[in-house]
Amino acid sequence: DSGVTQTPKHLITATGQRVTLRCSPRSGDLSVYWYQQSLDQGLQFLIQYYNGEERAKGNILERFSAQQFPDLHSELNLSSLELGDSALYFCASSDDRGSDTQYFGPGTRLTVL
Amino acid sequence: DQQVKQNSPSLSVQEGRISILNCDYTNSMFDYFLWYKKYPAEGPTFLISISSIKDKNEDGRFTVFLNKSAKHLSLHIVPSQPGDSAVYFCAASDSGGSNYKLTFGKGTLLTVNP
């Protein structure tokens, strides 16, 4: 158990809809990272938050957004969903105190029909 | 442009023997490297890491070797056990800035046969 939790575990929705994925980092970790893993791609970095502030963006679509709340949990919002958004979405956290090691949650499997 | 490459999609070894998983990178700014293991329907599990100031790091049955001049790293598992069967991901980061995002390879499926 990495200490990172994600909900829900599975999500099935229709094209055009909006969903929210939730992540709680390990106790004490200030950084939260979101990654997407689709069938034909490896794990792709989407976005990072550090102590409530956006720190870096990767290959994140404009239809996607994220935020980190004062209690450090984070939410990834996916809107106007398309079939190609079906993927595993992972959250990871780290303490960013001299170590780059990130600990991953179990992921949310999103299926867009 | 794939900055981290794992050229072997799969590897099969006998229980008790050594497993060697390889990874190449192209970005010379990467200075921290990690290996993760992933079972189906689970998140990646951190295994071992190495900083670019070292060329070897050991943790139990797992050893990671880094060859900076060749931009190559490898993970050795000795002895291999059936429970090691999983997908192994190599990842790298550039910690020069304040962003520690990881760049992953596409993974190698390791199968350890009893």
Side-chain angles (χ1 to χ4, degrees):
Chain A
D1 184 357
S2 67
V4 179
T5 60
Q6 288 186 251
T7 57
K9 195 165 179 60
H10 300 279
L11 201 47
I12 301 174
T13 188
T15 55
Q17 295 298 304
R18 172 189 167 93
V19 297
T20 298
L21 283 53
R22 183 189 168 104
C23 167
S24 292
R26 293 186 319 158
S27 176
D29 284 357
L30 299 179
S31 266
V32 169
Y33 300 77
W34 287 96
Y35 291 85
Q36 179 193 57
Q37 184 184 26
S38 50
L39 272 176
D40 57 344
Q41 298 286 332
L43 283 145
Q44 301 280 323
F45 168 72
L46 294 177
I47 196 165
Q48 178 201 3
Y49 274 80
Y50 176 81
N51 202 21
E53 300 286 329
E54 181 186 303
R55 180 173 270 185
K57 270 186 172 179
N59 302 320
I60 188 166
L61 300 171
E62 284 192 15
R63 301 183 285 109
F64 296 1
S65 65
Q67 52 186 329
Q68 187 179 27
F69 294 87
D71 67 352
L72 300 177
H73 92 270
S74 178
E75 293 180 355
L76 179 67
N77 302 296
L78 315 176
S79 62
S80 303
L81 284 168
E82 302 175 359
L83 295 177
D85 297 327
S86 296
L88 274 165
Y89 291 84
F90 290 104
C91 164
S93 74
S94 70
D95 62 18
D96 279 3
R97 295 190 191 102
S99 166
D100 299 3
T101 301
Q102 295 177 23
Y103 296 88
F104 282 76
T108 293
R109 179 174 291 282
L110 173 66
T111 302
V112 183
L113 301 175
Chain B
D1 176 29
Q2 210 179 335
Q3 298 185 62
V4 177
K5 297 179 185 178
Q6 294 177 256
N7 291 319
S8 298
S10 64
L11 174 68
S12 182
V13 299
Q14 286 300 119
E15 181 178 4
R17 305 295 291 266
I18 183 171
S19 296
I20 300 176
L21 297 101
N22 294 301
C23 178
D24 297 296
Y25 62 96
T26 57
N27 188 341
S28 57
M29 297 301 292
F30 288 148
D31 59 1
Y32 192 72
F33 305 89
L34 309 90
W35 285 93
Y36 286 85
K37 177 170 79 170
K38 187 179 181 303
Y39 295 116
E42 294 184 13
T45 300
F46 169 71
L47 275 178
I48 191 168
S49 62
I50 187 166
S51 163
S52 60
I53 62 174
K54 295 185 175 181
D55 54 19
K56 177 182 173 181
N57 188 27
E58 279 184 83
D59 184 0
R61 296 186 298 115
F62 303 92
T63 303
V64 57
F65 295 91
L66 175 63
N67 182 333
K68 282 178 59 181
S69 60
K71 293 191 176 68
H72 177 84
L73 62 154
S74 61
L75 175 67
H76 292 211
I77 307 174
V78 183
S80 300
Q81 299 172 353
D84 296 329
S85 297
V87 177
Y88 288 76
F89 290 97
C90 168
S93 75
D94 164 16
S95 56
S98 58
N99 166 29
Y100 298 117
K101 69 166 189 172
L102 296 177
T103 302
F104 282 85
K106 293 199 174 183
T108 297
L109 173 62
L110 173 67
T111 303
V112 180
N113 302 301

